[in-house]
Amino acid sequence: MKTIEEINQKIKEGEAVVVTAAEMTQIVQQKGSKTAAQEIDVVTTGTFGAMCSSGAFLNFGHSDPPVKMTKTYLNGVEAYSGLAAVDSYLGATQINQNPDIGLDYGGAHVIEDLIRGKEVELIAEAYGTDCYPLKKIKTYITLDNINQATMINPRNCYQNYAVAVNSTEETLYTYMGTLLPNYGNVTYSSAGELSPLINDPYLETLGVGSRIFLCGTEGYIIGEGTQHFTEADRHKGVPVTPSGTLMLKGDLKKMNPDYVRGGTMPRYGPTLYVGAGVPIPILNEEIALRTAISDEDIKCRIFDYGVPRRSRPVVKETNYKELKSGKIEINGMEVPTSPLSSYKRAALVAEELKKWIEKGDFFLSSPVKMLPNQGQIVKPLNISKPSKMVKDIESKPVIITHPTDPVKEVALKLVENNINHLPVVDSNGRLAGIVTSWDIADAVARGKTKLEEVMTRKVIIAREDESVDIIARRIDKHNISGLPIVDKDSKVKGMITAEDISRLIGKNK
Amino acid sequence: MKAWLKFLPSIINKSIISDTMKLYDIDFNILKANITPRGGKMLVDISGPQESESISFMEEKGIEVTPVLKVVKKDSEKCFECGACVSLCPVNAIGIMDNWDIDIDDQKCIGCGFCISSCPTRAISLME
């Protein structure tokens, strides 16, 4: 048994034995947890991943004449300014005001540019008061010439995370990166055995006030993060799905761009890659054993991101050893994997923190309050007006046509029924294609007579149990105007069109 | 060599590829293909002693042959080795090394550019 005070005394004397979590796994395997607990004082962890729930409070200082900023834009990215006169919070995922830039340069990029010492344009708007008369300012700031720049990240360092795959037939662009169709690739985010909270699964050594490594400088845990969750299934103590989180604080002015980076998840949006490392004091054998967890023993679940619902179906359970091997087997196929967080930088974070402690530049702090390690659940947001389902759309008689039908007959069907889309079904009643009034016009113009020659065979479809909002997104994404509603046997149940959705929105007002 | 083969609708019914393979005894590996009655494209890797003769033959028969000359390069200042690109490469040209560096193999790269748009820091670009 050791105490944090005793460990700090050893750090002061330059005698503390510090190893990274990856090294600790080997040490405990070779020497056993009892010896390791006696010999090792601190285990350092590290992660360098996309942490969207990040941002910074900035205090710009007062101008002359003074201004009460109500809207602020930094390099075209809006920061929240509904606090006092010259404070604002710049969120990492805020996108650019300029639609031509949009997702390519957002809050995370501004944070990186500030840390790199670059000049950033500040535009502020105000309504003007007796004490703050100015209504608009435009100027340039740098990290050096503003008062404070404090990173406060509401939710970082997820204890384990979901693994993503896509079962649909189209490429998806998500916060888990680009997901190829038909289980084409797998993406994961956790650093595995180096990840901070995985090495202290019951949160026995960290809490409010714990000093940590944050983006190249010292930072602090200021509480449990948002969506902190303690009730997940566990394997060898470690949650197998996303669980505990941390709220972190650090001084932007002292940060190092090697350990923080702005980026954009393609067609999803900006995010901040945060380098964070937590030192774990080895106070007893139990803690030593927990920090020795190996990638193979850290299980996680692969979820199907092709289902855009809150609860996504689990495809299978895996572990980080398998994920890091670069390929994984799903439904008998070998599927390549991509980490989304940098394991190389995570290891650098753990190494750097180790060096700081060995040199006596960094001391451990006792938490002033422990983080909740039980009874914390994540509540869903209930929408007061529940999302309408495709099956809730007023049903109309199903009108269909067949591939061998003459174009003229199909044209008549469209006109008589006053519709623009017709699902084409084969002799077994299964969907074979779709034809629109535009296709018929095309057929007439080019002298084609058979429906087969003009129908579209690759059809974007809707399912009865899908939300109408999802269909609206699909219509927009594929630039189409109607989708056949199809059951699990590919039997056509009807059509849903952009008009149907407009009508539904109109009625619901 | 890697090359794109372009087929016009007029030649899709002809067995030019198998004729080429039989005549010139080349290794012919199809990396990507999309051919419909309206024509199409195929990305192939051709090798063998009669490689250039086989290409002349295909061109004679109406296939447009465009060798792949471009490969992607990463900017090591911008890349922080996240690995998002690795599983997206259609020809396994991007790998994670033992020291967790991301490496792009020029020999395997076909310059499709899919990794370029997937990179969170736009660290990859196309080079001649």
Side-chain angles (χ1 to χ4, degrees), chain A residues 48 104 173 178 180 184-186 261-264 266 273 324 336-345, chain B residues 76-88 92 96 99-101 114 117-122:
Chain A
F48 194 97
D104 290 339
Y173 299 90
T178 305
L180 299 175
N185 68 336
V186 161
R261 206 55 84 82
T264 297
Y273 289 83
K324 287 179 184 176
T337 65
S338 264
L340 299 172
S341 72
S342 172
Y343 192 80
K344 185 170 177 98
R345 300 273 165 141
Chain B
S76 46
E77 285 293 306
K78 287 185 182 166
C79 172
F80 60 89
E81 287 90 20
C82 73
C85 52
V86 177
S87 67
L88 299 174
N92 293 322
I96 303 180
N99 67 354
W100 300 97
D101 268 341
F114 197 43
S117 55
S118 78
C119 177
T121 57
R122 294 285 166 131

Side-chain angles (χ1 to χ4, degrees), chain A residues 89-329:
Chain A
Y89 183 78
L90 177 63
T93 61
Q94 187 74 16
I95 67 172
N96 207 286
Q97 290 289 113
N98 180 345
D100 292 336
I101 302 172
L103 310 181
D104 290 339
Y105 185 94
H109 298 89
V110 179
I111 290 172
E112 181 187 333
D113 279 347
L114 283 169
I115 294 170
R116 287 189 181 280
K118 290 187 186 167
E119 207 167 58
V120 167
E121 180 198 65
L122 166 68
I123 291 176
E125 294 166 6
Y127 53 82
T129 70
D130 288 345
C131 46
Y132 292 108
L134 221 56
K135 285 194 155 180
K136 184 156 188 169
I137 57 166
K138 180 183 169 180
T139 184
Y140 291 88
I141 61 158
T142 64
L143 207 49
D144 283 342
N145 66 22
I146 61 175
N147 288 315
Q148 278 84 21
T150 309
M151 181 180 277
I152 302 269
N153 301 341
R155 182 173 66 260
N156 278 181
C157 300
Y158 244 118
Q159 189 176 30
N160 213 337
Y161 207 73
V163 180
V165 75
N166 167 19
S167 69
T168 72
E169 285 176 12
E170 55 180 307
T171 301
L172 298 177
Y173 299 90
T174 72
Y175 63 85
M176 290 298 285
T178 305
L179 298 174
L180 299 175
N182 304 313
Y183 304 93
N185 68 336
V186 161
T187 64
Y188 64 99
S189 183
S190 176
E193 65 183 20
L194 264 188
S195 179
L197 295 188
I198 282 178
N199 283 281
D200 185 2
Y202 293 100
L203 312 170
E204 291 165 307
T205 69
L206 358 136
V208 180
S210 291
R211 189 179 291 119
I212 61 159
F213 176 108
L214 184 61
C215 305
T217 186
E218 65 169 41
Y220 292 88
I221 295 173
I222 56 175
E224 72 271 27
T226 54
Q227 289 176 31
H228 183 70
F229 180 60
T230 57
E231 305 303 299
D233 294 342
R234 289 174 188 260
H235 173 76
K236 298 210 170 182
V238 177
V240 300
T241 50
S243 296
T245 66
L246 297 177
M247 194 176 286
L248 304 180
K249 175 187 180 219
D251 186 352
L252 216 64
K253 292 191 179 203
K254 294 179 182 157
M255 287 178 182
N256 177 344
D258 287 346
Y259 297 105
V260 57
R261 206 55 84 82
T264 297
M265 281 296 175
R267 299 198 213 177
Y268 175 76
T271 185
L272 193 69
Y273 289 83
V274 173
V278 171
I280 296 172
I282 304 304
L283 305 175
N284 56 48
E285 190 185 340
E286 182 81 352
I287 293 170
L289 198 62
R290 300 225 182 275
T291 57
I293 190 96
S294 68
D295 278 335
E296 195 170 8
D297 283 332
I298 307 166
K299 296 204 167 173
C300 49
R301 289 177 185 163
I302 305 177
F303 292 87
D304 182 3
Y305 277 62
V307 178
R309 303 291 293 266
R310 191 179 60 227
S311 300
R312 302 176 203 273
V314 175
V315 175
K316 72 178 277 188
E317 198 164 82
T318 179
N319 63 63
Y320 286 93
K321 188 184 178 191
E322 194 172 28
L323 288 168
K324 287 179 184 176
S325 77
K327 46 189 187 286
I328 185 168
E329 182 262 307

